[in-house]
Amino acid sequence: MCYAIPGKIIEIKGDIAVVDYFGEHRNALNKFLKAKIGEYVYAQGGILIDKLPESEAVEILKIWQDKFFELKKTDRRLAKTTTTDSTVYSHPLLELMQKVNLNKELTKNELLTLLKAKNRDELNLIYTTANNIRQKEHDNACCVHGIIEFSNYCRNNCLYCGIRKEADLNKVERYRMTEEEIFNAAKYAVKELGFKALVFQSGEDEWFSEEKLIKLIKEISKLNILIFISIGLRPKETYKKLYDAGAKAVLLRFETSNKRLFEKLRPNTSFDERIQLIKELKQIGYIVATGFLIGLPDETDDDIINNILLTKELKADMYSFGPFIPSENTLLLHHKVVDKNIVLKAIAISRFVDRDSNILVTTALETLDKDARTQGLLAGANSLMINLTPTKFKKKYMIYKRRYDAQKPIKEEITETINMLYSLGRAPMDINYED
Ligand code: SAM
Ligand code: SF4
């Protein structure tokens, strides 16, 4: 099973390769792989990551040939805008959707109106319009990334996070995967499970020094995958060295655009410093996934809209946001859980404000409802992650009260996810490279 379809290079334009997928052409960055016209390649996140022999590619493409077009048909059918209640046609919301369809920018007040929509038909209209735009912008391409959570030690004390430094030691059993365990988990994900992009995530664990991280990234690079790192705040220089060692993508959320809330919820950390780092990561050349939590204490609707606008302003290559899930190991345990539809509306609104963005459905959203992942993909999202942390560690990475998948065998989880994607007509094809 592969989470990317191979394509053939048909043209080279400087650092960009034009890759053909059954007659469809996509741009990918060829700066690192330096592949030639006629070669078969895999791309992830708009970057060419690996070549494969023609004979192997032809075999894989034979299997995909019919499925590729069949999936597209399903996706197009599901993306058609429909509404069941005729009263919605006279609703002001319809005017907003027309504006969206004409590619006109919505004002902040209009975005707030969308966020406040409650009625089932209104929600349906918002989600299907967003899904329709997603289909037009990305066709049925869907990125499927794996995530490996390699350490739950953290020097920080974010009030919302279950693995914060001062979390009750009786409840959080700390672990650190060894370099060998991390590499073996990555190798298994690539060789056995077919992943082409992996996220390596941890608390801010200084035990993993710059040297250790560089060594690890260099080792993992040999697997020819897109390496994402999600390790929190480190000096810009360290991130540059990790980029040179082979990490090409970063997942670092700004958590909330409300500076006062940020500094209250993340004691002794600075909002400005985090935003500055995200900007610097883009300058280094990283693919940047960033975003926020939804439903934090004292958060307003205005904050949610500002979060979406800040993600756009930061030129995120991937939007990563999800619900705040109160954690047993924090004083916020009894805080109200956010309504799933707020998160789905935020996905749709992100699609409206940044039409060709890549929007991730997070595992936290699944915690609210096991169908929420499917609903997120039908509300404008085009990307998802599967947790590949070895089970004995996954149970301990309790950033919030765990996720329904915590005990499920990895292969079962992958099969379910791929079947769900096929039922929606989505194919694990890569996105276009944009400079
Ligand atoms: N330490 C790194 C950092 O903070 O960027 C990476 C690991 S951290 C656990 C990854 C993400 O988990 C954070 O960006 C935060 O948004 C999310 N998170 C933490 N606590 C959460 C909670 N209670 N509910 C949902 N997401 C949470
Ligand atoms: Fe540490 Fe990240 Fe959790 Fe904050 S969110 S306590 S930095 S792991």
Side-chain angles (χ1 to χ4, degrees):
M1 179 60 74
C2 273
Y3 303 104
I5 301 177
K8 185 179 181 175
I9 300 191
I10 54 161
E11 197 184 341
I12 305 268
K13 299 188 268 191
D15 275 344
I16 306 294
V18 182
V19 186
D20 175 272
Y21 298 92
F22 299 110
E24 238 175 59
H25 299 162
R26 289 185 181 244
N27 291 337
L29 192 64
N30 189 24
K31 195 164 140 191
F32 309 109
L33 194 69
K34 301 203 183 306
K36 299 189 185 69
I37 292 181
E39 286 188 306
Y40 284 87
V41 287
Y42 280 118
Q44 280 288 295
I47 300 182
L48 293 186
I49 52 156
D50 205 3
K51 297 178 191 172
L52 71 168
E54 181 169 356
S55 54
E56 201 182 307
V58 169
E59 277 310 301
I60 297 172
L61 290 173
K62 242 191 250 165
I63 301 169
W64 270 103
Q65 176 100 46
D66 294 336
K67 190 148 190 88
F68 188 76
F69 295 103
E70 202 184 296
L71 289 174
K72 277 183 191 296
K73 251 196 253 163
T74 309
D75 181 38
R76 262 186 234 123
R77 179 173 50 77
L78 292 173
K80 272 198 195 127
T81 311
T82 49
T83 179
T84 48
D85 179 0
S86 58
T87 58
V88 146
Y89 288 107
S90 58
H91 198 281
L93 207 64
L94 197 68
E95 258 175 55
L96 293 187
M97 291 303 100
Q98 276 161 353
K99 228 177 141 178
V100 166
N101 284 328
L102 291 170
N103 207 350
K104 291 193 175 152
E105 204 173 311
L106 298 182
T107 64
K108 206 164 148 189
N109 271 341
E110 289 170 333
L111 297 176
L112 277 166
T113 305
L114 295 181
L115 191 64
K116 287 182 200 307
K118 280 204 170 65
N119 167 303
R120 192 173 54 86
D121 287 300
E122 290 177 349
L123 294 178
N124 189 28
L125 182 64
I126 293 173
Y127 301 155
T128 47
T129 305
N131 191 27
N132 193 260
I133 296 173
R134 186 273 315 151
Q135 195 275 333
K136 283 188 189 133
E137 294 290 335
H138 293 290
D139 207 325
N140 66 338
C142 185
C143 299
V144 182
H145 299 164
I147 178 162
I148 296 172
E149 298 153 335
F150 64 91
S151 162
N152 70 353
Y153 280 87
C154 189
R155 63 177 177 167
N156 283 338
N157 257 315
C158 306
L159 266 52
Y160 45 79
C161 180
I163 59 169
R164 62 201 295 266
K165 185 178 178 194
E166 285 167 16
D168 185 343
L169 281 178
N170 296 321
K171 291 189 183 147
V172 184
E173 202 185 320
R174 301 284 171 182
Y175 73 90
R176 228 174 236 134
M177 287 169 69
T178 62
E179 281 133 308
E180 197 186 354
E181 282 168 333
I182 302 170
F183 182 74
N184 285 342
K187 194 169 159 197
Y188 179 74
V190 177
K191 304 281 183 212
E192 291 288 321
L193 304 174
F195 281 82
K196 305 279 178 218
L198 293 176
V199 182
F200 295 87
Q201 190 178 84
S202 68
E204 285 192 12
D205 182 0
E206 287 165 312
W207 185 88
F208 283 96
S209 61
E210 182 183 286
E211 292 69 32
K212 282 196 179 98
L213 288 171
I214 291 174
K215 189 167 159 255
L216 189 63
I217 300 291
K218 281 192 174 156
E219 198 57 27
I220 297 169
S221 299
K222 293 179 188 156
L223 295 169
N224 292 338
I225 53 166
L226 176 64
I227 302 175
F228 264 89
I229 45 177
S230 178
I231 53 174
L233 216 69
R234 296 270 174 159
K236 179 187 171 188
E237 296 68 32
T238 302
Y239 269 112
K240 172 74 177 91
K241 289 180 192 163
L242 295 174
Y243 183 85
D244 293 338
K248 293 288 174 270
V250 166
L251 168 57
L252 185 76
R253 290 177 173 173
F254 54 82
E255 314 293 3
T256 171
S257 56
N258 180 327
K259 185 173 170 170
R260 185 193 47 80
L261 198 57
F262 181 101
E263 289 175 357
K264 191 167 136 198
L265 293 171
R266 296 182 58 97
N268 306 318
T269 69
S270 149
F271 174 79
D272 294 334
E273 201 182 340
R274 198 153 171 111
I275 295 291
Q276 181 59 25
L277 178 61
I278 294 170
K279 290 181 181 163
E280 288 169 348
L281 294 172
K282 284 252 6 156
Q283 284 161 7
I284 292 174
Y286 276 106
I287 292 174
V288 173
T290 189
F292 46 90
L293 283 165
I294 300 184
L296 290 171
D298 299 331
E299 181 186 72
T300 62
D301 285 354
D302 244 54
D303 289 332
I304 298 178
I305 297 300
N306 288 338
N307 288 343
I308 295 171
L309 296 175
L310 180 56
T311 314
K312 182 179 179 189
E313 195 187 313
L314 290 169
K315 301 189 175 61
D317 298 290
M318 185 173 279
Y319 283 54
S320 165
F321 58 84
F324 157 56
I325 316 274
S327 165
E328 276 172 322
N329 304 332
T330 67
L331 294 174
L332 298 176
L333 172 63
H334 300 294
H335 186 75
K336 191 170 138 275
V337 180
V338 69
D339 174 1
K340 174 186 68 179
N341 276 302
I342 308 260
V343 184
L344 295 177
K345 280 184 277 185
I347 291 177
I349 294 170
S350 302
R351 179 63 63 209
F352 299 152
V353 302
D354 199 354
R355 298 171 79 89
D356 63 354
S357 56
N358 292 297
I359 305 174
L360 185 70
V361 181
T362 57
T363 42
L365 182 57
E366 290 170 55
T367 307
L368 298 185
D369 170 344
K370 78 175 179 46
D371 295 326
R373 192 165 60 162
T374 312
Q375 292 161 354
L377 289 168
L378 290 173
N382 65 328
S383 180
L384 54 82
M385 267 184 206
I386 299 184
N387 195 321
L388 304 176
T389 309
T391 315
K392 69 172 173 178
F393 299 118
K394 183 153 74 168
K395 302 193 274 221
K396 298 177 187 166
Y397 200 79
M398 287 289 174
I399 51 180
Y400 46 79
K401 193 153 185 275
R402 234 349 170 174
R403 307 124 61 146
Y404 83 100
D405 71 340
Q407 305 300 332
K408 201 182 281 184
I410 282 173
K411 284 192 173 168
E412 198 180 307
E413 166 69 8
I414 293 171
T415 308
E416 261 181 34
T417 305
I418 296 301
N419 287 341
M420 180 275 287
L421 286 179
Y422 289 168
S423 75
L424 300 183
R426 305 293 172 94
M429 204 170 86
D430 199 55
I431 50 177
N432 234 0
Y433 176 77
E434 278 164 58
D435 207 358

